[in-house]
Amino acid sequence: MLEVKNLHASVEGVRILKGINFTVNPGEIHAIMGPNGSGKSTFAKVLAGHPAYTVTKGDILYKGESIVEEEPEDRARQGIFLAFQYPVEVPGVTNSAFLRQSYNSVVEARGGERMDPLEFDDFVREKLKVVDMPAAKLDRSVNVGFSGGEKKRNEILQMAVLDPSLALLDETDSGLDIDALRTVANGINTLHREDNAVVLVTHYQRLLNYITPDFVHVMVNGQIVKSGTKELALELEERGYDWIINESKAS
Ligand code: ADP
Ligand code: MG
Ligand code: MG
């Protein structure tokens, strides 16, 4: 699904990612943890093709082909989805229109049929159940006036509509109360299948009480310094990040 080889990336001339190796197979859930500022969001955005970031070295293979030169919308059409840490508001564009256009663009690239507004309305109403969102949110401008939790649910609604092969979820758990966290986690679990993969970027272990990752990686200073299983996340919860930072400095 995804093979990242010795990836280096910069933003505004500052080196952020310093040699990341990372492999994801279909059916897997990976958690990327690490202290603030370690480069987790940068990594997710570089994978999705965010134009502000420059890959200076290394390669990203998706389904066996290099995508480093590809535009973010082409990556999206091929099934890569990024849920933002800070979802953007889009005044003047209704949520339903936005979701339908995104859906049609992606489904067309897969050789499927576009949906007209009526068909899409039935389709998206089913998807609302995944995140327990009221239909009224469809007629509102994208994320405008949404609470933090509603924005995060809306990201997972986008994921439900687009049905990505590779979902990159950046701190989808942050700012959620326990009920919203459960709802969002259930949504992600519902959408996870043996033929897709999920990469969860998270600062806290909390989300991993609800979603069981196959692998946990720790990013420090633009590198993955340790990988393990769910137990590693529990250890981080207990001991914090300092010991791992010290360990990575020593090696
Ligand atoms: P994390 O998600 O792990 O908290 P980020 O990827 O957001 O970390 O940030 C990693 C580092 O890159 C930080 O030092 C941050 O200040 C820097 N950085 C991120 N985005 C930009 C940007 N657009 N311009 C300048 N520096 C940035
Ligand atoms: Mg699995
Ligand atoms: Mg971040």
Side-chain angles (χ1 to χ4, degrees), residues 11-12 16 35-42 53 85:
V11 59
E12 290 169 25
I16 312 286
N36 277 323
S38 58
K40 304 183 299 296
S41 292
T42 300
Y53 300 82
Q85 179 169 5

Side-chain angles (χ1 to χ4, degrees), residues 105-248:
S105 166
V106 163
V107 83
E108 208 164 40
R110 290 183 197 155
E113 293 277 319
R114 295 172 67 93
M115 285 190 199
D116 66 34
L118 279 175
E119 286 173 307
F120 188 76
D121 194 60
D122 289 339
F123 170 77
V124 76
R125 275 166 196 273
E126 277 303 307
K127 303 296 177 188
L128 288 169
K129 294 176 189 165
V130 174
V131 286
D132 194 19
M133 195 189 271
K137 289 279 182 294
L138 293 173
D139 302 325
R140 300 262 296 273
S141 286
V142 179
N143 289 327
V144 175
F146 285 28
S147 70
E150 286 169 345
K151 286 180 180 172
K152 296 299 173 108
R153 285 181 198 222
N154 212 26
E155 294 289 294
I156 303 306
L157 176 63
Q158 287 172 29
M159 177 181 166
V161 164
L162 298 179
D163 190 19
S165 297
L166 177 66
L168 311 166
L169 309 179
D170 191 1
E171 306 231 3
T172 300
D173 52 332
S174 67
L176 298 182
D177 64 32
I178 197 73
D179 291 329
L181 180 72
R182 242 185 238 131
T183 304
V184 161
N186 282 340
I188 295 166
N189 284 328
T190 302
L191 298 173
H192 177 56
R193 297 189 307 254
E194 283 311 306
D195 63 343
N196 63 23
V198 177
V199 177
L200 301 167
V201 171
T202 179
H203 185 71
Y204 297 105
Q205 197 281 136
R206 200 174 68 139
L207 179 68
L208 308 181
N209 291 329
Y210 302 95
I211 302 175
T212 308
D214 298 293
F215 301 96
V216 172
H217 312 272
V218 185
M219 191 174 290
V220 175
N221 192 19
Q223 292 183 317
I224 291 175
V225 298
K226 205 174 184 71
S227 296
T229 57
K230 191 177 155 67
E231 278 60 45
L232 177 57
L234 296 171
E235 193 175 5
L236 291 168
E237 175 90 335
E238 202 169 300
R239 299 175 64 191
Y241 284 114
D242 283 351
W243 64 279
I244 249 173
I245 296 171
N246 292 334
E247 213 173 70
S248 72

